[in-house]
Amino acid sequence: MKNFKINHRESSGLDVLDLHGELDAHTASQLEESLKLLINSNKSNIIVNCSELDYIASAGLGVFMAYIEDVRSSGGDIKLTNMNERVYNVFDLLGFPTLYDILEDEQDAVERFSNEN
Amino acid sequence: MSQSNKELQNRFEMKTVLETSRMLIESRSSDFVLNNLLLIIMGKLLSAKAAVLFYDPIKKIYKIEKAKGLKNISEGDQVKISLKESQKNCSHITYNDFSDQLPKLAENMENSIFFPLRTSNQHIGFLFIGPKATQKPFAPHELEFAESLCIISSVALSNSLLFDELKNTNRKLDRRIHELNTLFDLSKEFNLLTDREKISSIFKFALLGQLFIRTFFLVYKTPDKNTLLASSGIKKSFDQQEIDTLFELCPTEVKAVDDHCYDKVESLETNQITNIIGISIQGEKVAVIGVGERLNKETYTETDFNFLKSLSNLAVVSIQKTFLLEERIDKERMEEELSIAKSIQRGLLPDPIPTIKGVDLAAQTISSREVGGDYFDIAETPDGSTIFAIGDVTGKGVPAAMLMANLQSMLHVLLPVDIGLNEATERINDLIFKNTPSDKFITFFWAKYFKDSNVFRYVNAGHNPPILLRDKSDQIEELTEGGLLLGAMETISPYDQTDIQLYSGDMIVCYTDGVNEAMNQHQEEFGEERLYELILNNRHLSSQDLMNKILSDVREFAKNKLGDDLTLLILKIN
């Protein structure tokens, strides 16, 4: 079994998902579940911390594409933080920085959320 | 200006040119080069307005790459310059001389200059410098300075443009590699999956992520109908009619959605679908995929569409595989059920064939399928007599087998009941007529054999007449008396039962139509005549041997292709 794990915690009133391991076609549905759970309970200020994420495939990126509109239409956002260079390169390659807030550190995302609200 | 001052200025200018050239050549960013180039020249020539225009050799226009102090135009704007090639090769062009051919980049263009930017083999564009703040014309040494800088910058620019292009190509290559990885990943993943929903969800995410889109749908041709397999960002769903129209409409190639498509399928417009693509496998259209605009407004390239096709292909093949798999599982289950049914049916027939004192007995049924509608029975009644029965249900396979089982149970329920054979036949007929559709019926023959008196009492309900061959007679007799076949209509006239006296050496052969109607390759039936002759020629054989002889002759005649169930029941009085 592939090693992928999602941890959910709250930080400064925001919901943080910590991704661990490899997010690919096989594990993308787990991320979808976690995001759906948050959206269904009306949590829309979401930080995805990628510090422990080793690899991301297109299917993983697709999950963010599929839910960003839902989150933004309810006044929130998904902000991605703490990516390693390899993971960032994939995001960059497919054009994500134009649409998503990708930040150095989780704290930056917390600040940005507090400025936005 | 004194000689020494002039010298100082020359040296200063020379130094600037040298330093700038080093900085520019070492830089790999055209943005950095342009910025510096403009600032240095503006500072040196004391002008507040400047711009760099890049030439697009494909569109034959100029693009404002970098602009400073200009209100009329902004970076990214496109302008036309209609100078001849030879005119572009001079060191600088004064706006006053060519005001018709040059664009008006500032309010006041008087005394402004265009410096060509070029290498020995490439025209890159122009550097534009607006008039001096003092409105005076530029001095020759100022123009010379700018020209030198332009020559040096051109080389640096050409390099950095090349570098940009290389970077761009590398990035494209990276994307292609990433696409291949995605396809590879997915094909691995799909191979392991049998769940259609899971396949379509993975397909969706890979597509959204890789192509940076949010709106798409995939319509797929299932064994039953065209159906929506996966979609995202669809605001108004497609109804069945739209799905069918769309499927018809879409060619098996990329098609930009036009007004005609929007007219035919309204949901395409509602959902802002820009391109549709028909996917075909082995020449047959199996799916249609539609995509909306990309979120970064980039247009789809041919490679994007190729990726889209490959990915869709992969998903559709995987989905098809799941249907085939289900079919196979269904078939396996059916086979298993049939094999159980077969053993149940076998249990309904007497096995082993009982021995009856004074009678040499043989019986066998062969089904053309797993289960069949032929029936025979040999059973003892409470008064010590024996019942012989043979029957043939219309049709073959499972439906016939069920009716045969029904007949068997009726017969066994009636066995201990003290009623006549004719009356029992009547009851069976009425029950079967009531319980089965009108096109299902049974030809049935049965007899009660009183072994003490050797009386054979029979009723023939529409069955192929069994053959009676008396000892020392060459005359075949047919046992035809009885009545209508079972289940065709309610009993109106009672069934007749007939008693015949049997003697030692007499033989009765009962059979179903699988015997006489067995067909050879010339579409000829085996027929009664052939059967009668066979029996006459082999009358000395035991019941078992005669049965085997008939079976092997029929098989040989039909070249082992038995189209119907086949049953024989033979008894010989010792």
Coordinates of all heavy atoms in Angstrom, one line a residue, chain B residues 462-540:
Chain B
G462 N -50.9 -37.4 -26.7 CA -50.2 -36.7 -27.8 C -48.7 -37.0 -28.0 O -48.0 -36.3 -28.7
H463 N -48.3 -38.1 -27.4 CA -46.8 -38.4 -27.5 C -46.6 -39.3 -28.8 O -47.5 -40.0 -29.3 CB -46.4 -39.2 -26.3 CG -44.9 -39.2 -26.2 ND1 -44.1 -38.1 -25.8 CD2 -44.0 -40.2 -26.4 CE1 -42.9 -38.5 -25.8 NE2 -42.8 -39.8 -26.1
N464 N -45.3 -39.2 -29.3 CA -44.9 -40.1 -30.4 C -45.3 -41.5 -30.0 O -44.9 -42.0 -28.9 CB -43.4 -40.2 -30.6 CG -42.8 -38.9 -31.0 OD1 -43.3 -37.8 -30.6 ND2 -41.8 -38.9 -31.8
P465 N -46.1 -42.2 -30.8 CA -46.6 -43.5 -30.4 C -45.5 -44.5 -30.1 O -44.7 -44.7 -31.0 CB -47.4 -44.0 -31.6 CG -47.7 -42.8 -32.4 CD -46.6 -41.8 -32.1
P466 N -45.5 -45.1 -28.9 CA -44.5 -46.1 -28.6 C -44.7 -47.3 -29.5 O -45.8 -47.5 -30.0 CB -44.7 -46.4 -27.1 CG -45.3 -45.2 -26.6 CD -46.2 -44.6 -27.7
I467 N -43.7 -48.1 -29.7 CA -43.7 -49.2 -30.6 C -43.9 -50.5 -29.9 O -43.2 -50.7 -28.9 CB -42.4 -49.3 -31.4 CG1 -42.2 -48.0 -32.3 CG2 -42.3 -50.5 -32.3 CD1 -40.8 -47.7 -32.6
L468 N -44.9 -51.3 -30.3 CA -45.1 -52.6 -29.7 C -44.6 -53.6 -30.8 O -45.2 -53.6 -31.9 CB -46.5 -52.8 -29.3 CG -46.9 -54.2 -28.9 CD1 -46.1 -54.7 -27.7 CD2 -48.4 -54.3 -28.7
L469 N -43.7 -54.4 -30.4 CA -43.3 -55.5 -31.4 C -43.5 -56.8 -30.7 O -42.8 -57.1 -29.7 CB -41.8 -55.3 -31.8 CG -41.2 -56.3 -32.8 CD1 -42.0 -56.3 -34.1 CD2 -39.7 -56.0 -33.0
R470 N -44.5 -57.6 -31.2 CA -44.8 -58.9 -30.6 C -43.8 -59.9 -30.9 O -43.2 -59.9 -32.0 CB -46.2 -59.3 -31.1 CG -47.3 -58.4 -30.7 CD -48.0 -58.8 -29.5 NE -49.2 -58.0 -29.2 CZ -49.7 -57.9 -28.0 NH1 -49.1 -58.5 -26.9 NH2 -50.7 -57.2 -27.8
D471 N -43.6 -60.9 -30.0 CA -42.6 -61.9 -30.3 C -43.1 -62.7 -31.6 O -44.3 -62.9 -31.8 CB -42.6 -62.9 -29.1 CG -41.5 -63.9 -29.2 OD1 -40.4 -63.5 -29.7 OD2 -41.7 -65.0 -28.7
K472 N -42.2 -63.1 -32.4 CA -42.5 -63.8 -33.6 C -43.4 -63.1 -34.6 O -43.9 -63.7 -35.5 CB -43.2 -65.2 -33.3 CG -42.3 -66.1 -32.4 CD -42.9 -67.5 -32.3 CE -42.1 -68.3 -31.4 NZ -42.2 -68.0 -30.0
S473 N -43.5 -61.8 -34.5 CA -44.2 -61.0 -35.4 C -43.3 -60.0 -36.1 O -42.4 -59.5 -35.4 CB -45.4 -60.3 -34.8 OG -45.8 -59.2 -35.6
D474 N -43.5 -59.7 -37.3 CA -42.6 -58.7 -38.0 C -43.4 -57.4 -38.1 O -43.0 -56.4 -38.7 CB -42.2 -59.1 -39.3 CG -41.2 -60.2 -39.2 OD1 -40.5 -60.3 -38.2 OD2 -41.0 -61.0 -40.2
Q475 N -44.6 -57.3 -37.5 CA -45.5 -56.2 -37.6 C -45.3 -55.2 -36.4 O -45.4 -55.6 -35.3 CB -46.9 -56.7 -37.6 CG -47.9 -55.7 -38.3 CD -47.4 -55.5 -39.8 OE1 -47.2 -56.5 -40.5 NE2 -47.4 -54.3 -40.2
I476 N -44.9 -54.0 -36.8 CA -44.8 -52.9 -35.8 C -46.2 -52.4 -35.4 O -47.0 -52.1 -36.3 CB -44.0 -51.7 -36.3 CG1 -42.5 -52.2 -36.5 CG2 -44.1 -50.5 -35.4 CD1 -41.6 -52.1 -35.3
E477 N -46.5 -52.4 -34.1 CA -47.8 -51.8 -33.7 C -47.5 -50.5 -33.0 O -46.5 -50.4 -32.3 CB -48.6 -52.7 -32.8 CG -49.0 -54.0 -33.5 CD -49.6 -55.0 -32.5 OE1 -50.5 -54.6 -31.7 OE2 -49.2 -56.2 -32.5
E478 N -48.4 -49.5 -33.2 CA -48.2 -48.2 -32.5 C -49.2 -48.0 -31.4 O -50.4 -48.3 -31.6 CB -48.3 -47.0 -33.5 CG -47.2 -47.1 -34.5 CD -47.3 -45.9 -35.5 OE1 -48.3 -45.3 -35.6 OE2 -46.2 -45.6 -36.2
L479 N -48.8 -47.5 -30.2 CA -49.7 -47.4 -29.1 C -50.2 -45.9 -29.1 O -49.5 -45.0 -28.6 CB -49.0 -47.7 -27.8 CG -48.3 -49.1 -27.7 CD1 -47.7 -49.3 -26.4 CD2 -49.3 -50.2 -28.0
T480 N -51.3 -45.7 -29.8 CA -51.8 -44.3 -30.0 C -52.9 -43.8 -29.2 O -53.2 -42.7 -29.1 CB -52.2 -44.2 -31.5 OG1 -53.2 -45.2 -31.7 CG2 -51.0 -44.4 -32.4
E481 N -53.6 -44.8 -28.5 CA -54.9 -44.4 -27.9 C -54.6 -43.5 -26.7 O -53.7 -43.7 -25.9 CB -55.6 -45.7 -27.4 CG -56.0 -46.6 -28.6 CD -56.9 -45.9 -29.6 OE1 -57.8 -45.2 -29.2 OE2 -56.5 -46.0 -30.8
G482 N -55.5 -42.6 -26.4 CA -55.4 -41.7 -25.2 C -56.2 -40.4 -25.4 O -57.4 -40.4 -25.3
G483 N -55.5 -39.4 -25.8 CA -56.2 -38.1 -26.0 C -55.2 -37.0 -26.3 O -54.1 -37.3 -26.8
L484 N -55.6 -35.8 -26.1 CA -54.8 -34.6 -26.4 C -53.6 -34.5 -25.6 O -53.5 -35.0 -24.4 CB -55.7 -33.3 -26.2 CG -56.5 -32.9 -27.4 CD1 -57.3 -31.7 -27.0 CD2 -55.7 -32.6 -28.6
L485 N -52.6 -33.8 -26.1 CA -51.4 -33.5 -25.3 C -51.7 -32.7 -24.1 O -52.7 -32.0 -24.1 CB -50.3 -32.9 -26.2 CG -50.6 -31.9 -27.3 CD1 -51.0 -30.6 -26.7 CD2 -49.4 -31.8 -28.2
L486 N -50.8 -32.7 -23.1 CA -51.1 -32.0 -21.8 C -50.9 -30.5 -21.9 O -49.9 -30.1 -22.5 CB -50.2 -32.6 -20.7 CG -50.3 -34.2 -20.5 CD1 -49.3 -34.5 -19.4 CD2 -51.7 -34.6 -20.2
G487 N -51.8 -29.8 -21.3 CA -51.6 -28.3 -21.1 C -52.1 -27.5 -22.2 O -52.0 -26.3 -22.2
A488 N -52.5 -28.1 -23.3 CA -53.0 -27.3 -24.5 C -54.4 -26.7 -24.2 O -54.6 -25.6 -24.6 CB -53.0 -28.1 -25.8
M489 N -55.2 -27.5 -23.7 CA -56.6 -27.0 -23.3 C -57.1 -27.8 -22.1 O -56.6 -28.9 -21.8 CB -57.5 -27.0 -24.5 CG -57.7 -28.4 -25.1 SD -59.0 -28.4 -26.3 CE -58.2 -27.5 -27.7
E490 N -58.1 -27.2 -21.5 CA -58.8 -27.9 -20.4 C -59.4 -29.2 -20.9 O -59.9 -29.3 -22.1 CB -59.8 -27.0 -19.8 CG -59.9 -27.1 -18.3 CD -60.6 -25.9 -17.7 OE1 -60.6 -24.8 -18.3 OE2 -61.2 -26.1 -16.7
T491 N -59.4 -30.3 -20.1 CA -60.0 -31.5 -20.6 C -61.5 -31.4 -20.9 O -62.2 -30.9 -20.1 CB -59.8 -32.6 -19.5 OG1 -58.5 -32.5 -18.9 CG2 -60.1 -34.0 -20.0
I492 N -61.8 -31.7 -22.1 CA -63.2 -31.7 -22.5 C -63.7 -33.1 -22.6 O -64.6 -33.5 -21.9 CB -63.4 -31.0 -23.9 CG1 -62.8 -29.5 -23.8 CG2 -64.9 -30.9 -24.3 CD1 -62.6 -28.9 -25.1
S493 N -63.1 -33.9 -23.5 CA -63.5 -35.3 -23.5 C -62.4 -36.1 -22.7 O -61.3 -35.8 -22.8 CB -63.5 -35.8 -25.0 OG -62.3 -35.5 -25.6
P494 N -62.9 -37.1 -22.0 CA -62.0 -37.8 -21.1 C -60.9 -38.6 -21.9 O -61.1 -38.9 -23.1 CB -62.9 -38.8 -20.4 CG -64.2 -38.8 -21.1 CD -64.3 -37.5 -21.9
Y495 N -59.8 -38.8 -21.2 CA -58.7 -39.6 -21.9 C -59.1 -41.1 -21.9 O -59.7 -41.5 -20.9 CB -57.4 -39.4 -21.1 CG -56.7 -38.0 -21.4 CD1 -57.1 -36.9 -20.6 CD2 -55.8 -37.9 -22.4 CE1 -56.5 -35.7 -20.8 CE2 -55.3 -36.6 -22.7 CZ -55.6 -35.5 -21.9 OH -55.1 -34.3 -22.1
D496 N -58.7 -41.7 -22.9 CA -59.0 -43.2 -23.0 C -57.8 -43.9 -22.4 O -56.7 -43.6 -22.8 CB -59.2 -43.6 -24.4 CG -60.5 -43.0 -25.0 OD1 -61.4 -42.8 -24.3 OD2 -60.5 -42.7 -26.2
Q497 N -58.1 -45.0 -21.6 CA -57.0 -45.9 -21.3 C -57.2 -47.2 -22.0 O -58.3 -47.6 -22.1 CB -56.9 -46.0 -19.8 CG -58.1 -46.5 -19.1 CD -57.9 -46.6 -17.6 OE1 -57.3 -45.8 -17.0 NE2 -58.5 -47.6 -17.0
T498 N -56.1 -47.8 -22.4 CA -56.3 -49.0 -23.2 C -55.4 -50.1 -22.6 O -54.3 -49.9 -22.2 CB -55.7 -48.7 -24.6 OG1 -56.4 -47.6 -25.1 CG2 -56.0 -49.9 -25.5
D499 N -56.0 -51.3 -22.5 CA -55.3 -52.4 -21.9 C -54.8 -53.3 -23.1 O -55.5 -53.6 -24.0 CB -56.2 -53.3 -21.0 CG -56.4 -52.6 -19.7 OD1 -55.9 -51.5 -19.5 OD2 -57.2 -53.2 -18.9
I500 N -53.5 -53.7 -23.0 CA -53.0 -54.7 -23.9 C -52.4 -55.8 -23.1 O -51.8 -55.6 -22.1 CB -52.0 -54.1 -25.0 CG1 -50.9 -53.3 -24.3 CG2 -52.7 -53.3 -26.0 CD1 -49.8 -52.9 -25.2
Q501 N -52.6 -57.0 -23.6 CA -52.0 -58.2 -23.0 C -50.6 -58.4 -23.5 O -50.5 -58.5 -24.7 CB -52.9 -59.4 -23.2 CG -52.5 -60.7 -22.5 CD -52.6 -60.5 -21.0 OE1 -53.7 -60.1 -20.5 NE2 -51.6 -60.9 -20.3
L502 N -49.6 -58.5 -22.7 CA -48.3 -58.8 -23.2 C -47.9 -60.3 -22.9 O -48.4 -60.9 -21.9 CB -47.3 -57.9 -22.5 CG -47.4 -56.4 -22.7 CD1 -46.4 -55.6 -21.9 CD2 -47.3 -56.1 -24.2
Y503 N -47.1 -60.7 -23.8 CA -46.6 -62.1 -23.6 C -45.1 -62.1 -23.6 O -44.5 -61.2 -24.1 CB -47.2 -63.0 -24.7 CG -48.7 -63.0 -24.8 CD1 -49.3 -62.1 -25.7 CD2 -49.4 -63.8 -23.9 CE1 -50.7 -62.1 -25.7 CE2 -50.8 -63.7 -24.0 CZ -51.5 -62.9 -24.9 OH -52.8 -62.8 -24.9
S504 N -44.5 -63.2 -23.2 CA -43.1 -63.4 -23.2 C -42.5 -63.1 -24.6 O -43.0 -63.5 -25.6 CB -42.7 -64.8 -22.8 OG -41.3 -65.0 -22.9
G505 N -41.4 -62.3 -24.6 CA -40.8 -61.9 -25.9 C -41.3 -60.7 -26.5 O -40.7 -60.2 -27.5
D506 N -42.4 -60.2 -26.0 CA -42.9 -58.9 -26.6 C -42.1 -57.7 -26.1 O -41.4 -57.8 -25.0 CB -44.4 -58.6 -26.1 CG -45.4 -59.6 -26.7 OD1 -44.9 -60.4 -27.6 OD2 -46.5 -59.6 -26.3
M507 N -42.0 -56.7 -26.9 CA -41.1 -55.6 -26.6 C -41.8 -54.3 -26.9 O -42.6 -54.2 -27.9 CB -39.9 -55.7 -27.5 CG -39.0 -54.5 -27.5 SD -37.4 -54.8 -28.2 CE -37.8 -55.1 -29.9
I508 N -41.6 -53.3 -26.0 CA -42.2 -52.0 -26.2 C -41.0 -51.0 -26.2 O -40.2 -51.0 -25.3 CB -43.2 -51.6 -25.1 CG1 -44.4 -52.5 -25.3 CG2 -43.7 -50.1 -25.3 CD1 -45.5 -52.3 -24.2
V509 N -41.0 -50.1 -27.2 CA -40.0 -49.1 -27.3 C -40.6 -47.7 -27.3 O -41.4 -47.4 -28.1 CB -39.1 -49.2 -28.6 CG1 -38.1 -48.1 -28.7 CG2 -38.4 -50.5 -28.7
C510 N -40.4 -46.9 -26.2 CA -40.9 -45.6 -26.1 C -39.7 -44.6 -26.4 O -38.6 -44.8 -26.0 CB -41.4 -45.3 -24.7 SG -42.5 -46.5 -24.0
Y511 N -40.1 -43.5 -27.1 CA -39.0 -42.6 -27.4 C -39.5 -41.2 -27.6 O -40.8 -41.0 -27.7 CB -38.3 -43.0 -28.7 CG -39.2 -43.0 -29.9 CD1 -39.3 -41.9 -30.8 CD2 -40.1 -44.1 -30.2 CE1 -40.1 -41.9 -31.9 CE2 -40.9 -44.1 -31.3 CZ -41.0 -43.0 -32.1 OH -41.8 -43.0 -33.2
T512 N -38.7 -40.2 -27.5 CA -39.1 -38.8 -27.8 C -38.6 -38.4 -29.1 O -37.9 -39.1 -29.8 CB -38.5 -37.8 -26.7 OG1 -37.1 -37.9 -26.7 CG2 -39.0 -38.2 -25.3
D513 N -39.1 -37.2 -29.6 CA -38.9 -36.8 -31.0 C -37.4 -36.5 -31.3 O -37.0 -36.3 -32.4 CB -39.8 -35.6 -31.4 CG -39.6 -34.4 -30.5 OD1 -38.7 -34.4 -29.7 OD2 -40.4 -33.5 -30.6
G514 N -36.6 -36.4 -30.2 CA -35.2 -36.3 -30.4 C -34.6 -37.4 -31.3 O -33.6 -37.3 -31.9
V515 N -35.3 -38.6 -31.2 CA -34.8 -39.8 -31.9 C -35.2 -39.6 -33.4 O -34.4 -39.6 -34.3 CB -35.4 -41.0 -31.3 CG1 -34.9 -42.3 -32.1 CG2 -34.9 -41.2 -29.9
N516 N -36.5 -39.6 -33.7 CA -37.0 -39.6 -35.1 C -36.7 -38.3 -35.8 O -36.6 -38.3 -37.0 CB -38.5 -40.0 -35.1 CG -39.3 -39.1 -34.3 OD1 -39.0 -38.7 -33.2 ND2 -40.4 -38.6 -34.9
E517 N -36.6 -37.2 -35.1 CA -36.3 -35.9 -35.7 C -34.9 -35.5 -35.8 O -34.5 -34.4 -36.2 CB -37.2 -34.8 -35.1 CG -38.7 -35.0 -35.4 CD -39.5 -34.0 -34.6 OE1 -39.0 -33.0 -34.0 OE2 -40.8 -34.2 -34.7
A518 N -34.0 -36.4 -35.4 CA -32.6 -36.1 -35.5 C -32.2 -35.9 -36.9 O -32.7 -36.6 -37.8 CB -31.8 -37.3 -34.9
M519 N -31.4 -34.9 -37.2 CA -31.2 -34.4 -38.6 C -29.8 -34.6 -39.0 O -28.9 -34.5 -38.3 CB -31.5 -32.9 -38.5 CG -31.9 -32.2 -39.8 SD -33.6 -32.4 -40.2 CE -34.3 -31.0 -39.2
N520 N -29.7 -35.1 -40.3 CA -28.3 -35.2 -40.8 C -27.9 -33.9 -41.6 O -28.7 -32.9 -41.6 CB -28.1 -36.4 -41.7 CG -28.9 -36.3 -43.0 OD1 -29.5 -35.2 -43.3 ND2 -28.9 -37.4 -43.8
Q521 N -26.7 -33.9 -42.1 CA -26.3 -32.6 -42.7 C -27.1 -32.2 -44.0 O -27.0 -31.1 -44.4 CB -24.8 -32.6 -43.0 CG -24.4 -33.5 -44.1 CD -23.2 -34.4 -43.7 OE1 -23.4 -35.1 -42.6 NE2 -22.2 -34.5 -44.4
H522 N -27.8 -33.1 -44.5 CA -28.7 -32.8 -45.7 C -30.1 -32.4 -45.3 O -31.0 -32.4 -46.1 CB -28.8 -34.0 -46.7 CG -27.4 -34.5 -47.1 ND1 -26.5 -33.7 -47.7 CD2 -26.8 -35.7 -46.8 CE1 -25.4 -34.4 -47.9 NE2 -25.6 -35.6 -47.4
Q523 N -30.2 -32.1 -44.0 CA -31.5 -31.7 -43.5 C -32.6 -32.8 -43.6 O -33.8 -32.6 -43.7 CB -32.0 -30.4 -44.1 CG -31.1 -29.2 -44.0 CD -30.9 -28.8 -42.5 OE1 -31.8 -28.6 -41.8 NE2 -29.6 -28.7 -42.1
E524 N -32.1 -34.1 -43.6 CA -33.0 -35.2 -43.6 C -33.2 -35.7 -42.2 O -32.3 -35.7 -41.4 CB -32.4 -36.4 -44.4 CG -32.6 -36.4 -45.8 CD -31.9 -37.6 -46.4 OE1 -30.7 -37.5 -46.6 OE2 -32.5 -38.6 -46.6
E525 N -34.5 -36.1 -41.9 CA -34.8 -36.6 -40.5 C -34.4 -38.1 -40.5 O -34.5 -38.8 -41.5 CB -36.2 -36.3 -40.2 CG -36.5 -34.9 -39.8 CD -37.9 -34.7 -39.3 OE1 -38.7 -35.7 -39.2 OE2 -38.2 -33.6 -38.9
F526 N -34.1 -38.5 -39.3 CA -33.9 -39.9 -39.0 C -35.1 -40.7 -39.4 O -35.1 -41.7 -40.1 CB -33.4 -40.2 -37.6 CG -32.9 -41.5 -37.3 CD1 -31.6 -41.9 -37.7 CD2 -33.7 -42.5 -36.6 CE1 -31.2 -43.2 -37.5 CE2 -33.2 -43.7 -36.4 CZ -31.9 -44.1 -36.8
G527 N -36.3 -40.2 -38.9 CA -37.6 -40.8 -39.3 C -38.0 -42.1 -38.6 O -37.2 -42.8 -38.1
E528 N -39.3 -42.3 -38.6 CA -39.9 -43.5 -38.0 C -39.4 -44.8 -38.7 O -39.1 -45.8 -38.1 CB -41.4 -43.5 -37.9 CG -42.0 -42.6 -36.8 CD -42.1 -41.1 -37.3 OE1 -41.8 -40.9 -38.5 OE2 -42.6 -40.3 -36.5
E529 N -39.4 -44.7 -40.1 CA -39.1 -45.9 -40.9 C -37.8 -46.5 -40.5 O -37.6 -47.7 -40.3 CB -39.2 -45.6 -42.4 CG -40.6 -45.3 -42.9 CD -41.5 -46.4 -42.6 OE1 -41.1 -47.6 -42.7 OE2 -42.6 -46.1 -42.1
R530 N -36.8 -45.6 -40.4 CA -35.4 -46.0 -40.1 C -35.4 -46.6 -38.7 O -34.7 -47.6 -38.5 CB -34.5 -44.8 -40.2 CG -33.3 -45.0 -41.0 CD -32.4 -43.8 -41.0 NE -33.0 -42.7 -41.7 CZ -32.6 -42.3 -42.9 NH1 -31.6 -42.9 -43.5 NH2 -33.2 -41.2 -43.5
L531 N -36.2 -46.0 -37.8 CA -36.2 -46.5 -36.4 C -36.8 -47.9 -36.4 O -36.3 -48.8 -35.7 CB -37.0 -45.5 -35.6 CG -37.1 -45.9 -34.1 CD1 -35.8 -45.9 -33.4 CD2 -38.0 -44.9 -33.4
Y532 N -38.0 -48.0 -37.1 CA -38.7 -49.3 -37.1 C -37.7 -50.4 -37.7 O -37.6 -51.5 -37.1 CB -39.9 -49.3 -38.0 CG -41.0 -48.3 -37.4 CD1 -42.1 -48.0 -38.2 CD2 -40.9 -47.8 -36.1 CE1 -43.1 -47.1 -37.7 CE2 -41.9 -47.0 -35.6 CZ -43.0 -46.6 -36.4 OH -43.9 -45.8 -35.9
E533 N -37.1 -50.1 -38.7 CA -36.2 -51.1 -39.4 C -35.0 -51.5 -38.4 O -34.7 -52.7 -38.3 CB -35.6 -50.5 -40.6 CG -35.1 -51.5 -41.6 CD -35.2 -51.0 -43.0 OE1 -36.2 -50.4 -43.3 OE2 -34.2 -51.3 -43.8
L534 N -34.5 -50.5 -37.8 CA -33.4 -50.7 -36.8 C -33.9 -51.6 -35.7 O -33.1 -52.5 -35.3 CB -33.0 -49.3 -36.2 CG -31.8 -49.3 -35.4 CD1 -30.5 -49.7 -36.1 CD2 -31.6 -47.9 -34.8
I535 N -35.1 -51.4 -35.2 CA -35.6 -52.2 -34.1 C -35.8 -53.7 -34.6 O -35.4 -54.6 -33.9 CB -36.9 -51.6 -33.5 CG1 -36.6 -50.3 -32.8 CG2 -37.6 -52.6 -32.6 CD1 -37.8 -49.5 -32.5
L536 N -36.4 -53.8 -35.8 CA -36.7 -55.1 -36.3 C -35.4 -55.9 -36.5 O -35.3 -57.1 -36.2 CB -37.4 -55.0 -37.7 CG -38.9 -54.7 -37.6 CD1 -39.5 -54.4 -38.9 CD2 -39.7 -55.9 -37.0
N537 N -34.4 -55.2 -37.0 CA -33.1 -55.9 -37.3 C -32.3 -56.3 -36.1 O -31.4 -57.1 -36.1 CB -32.2 -55.0 -38.2 CG -32.8 -54.9 -39.6 OD1 -33.6 -55.7 -40.0 ND2 -32.4 -53.8 -40.3
N538 N -32.7 -55.6 -35.0 CA -31.9 -55.8 -33.7 C -32.7 -56.3 -32.6 O -32.4 -56.2 -31.4 CB -31.2 -54.5 -33.3 CG -30.1 -54.1 -34.3 OD1 -29.0 -54.7 -34.4 ND2 -30.5 -53.2 -35.2
R539 N -33.9 -56.9 -32.9 CA -34.8 -57.4 -31.9 C -34.3 -58.4 -31.0 O -34.8 -58.6 -29.8 CB -36.1 -57.9 -32.6 CG -35.8 -59.1 -33.5 CD -37.0 -59.4 -34.4 NE -38.2 -59.7 -33.5 CZ -39.4 -59.8 -34.0 NH1 -39.7 -59.5 -35.3 NH2 -40.4 -60.1 -33.2
H540 N -33.2 -59.1 -31.4 CA -32.7 -60.2 -30.6 C -31.8 -59.6 -29.4 O -31.5 -60.3 -28.5 CB -31.8 -61.1 -31.4 CG -30.7 -60.4 -32.1 ND1 -30.9 -59.6 -33.2 CD2 -29.4 -60.2 -31.8 CE1 -29.8 -59.0 -33.6 NE2 -28.8 -59.4 -32.7

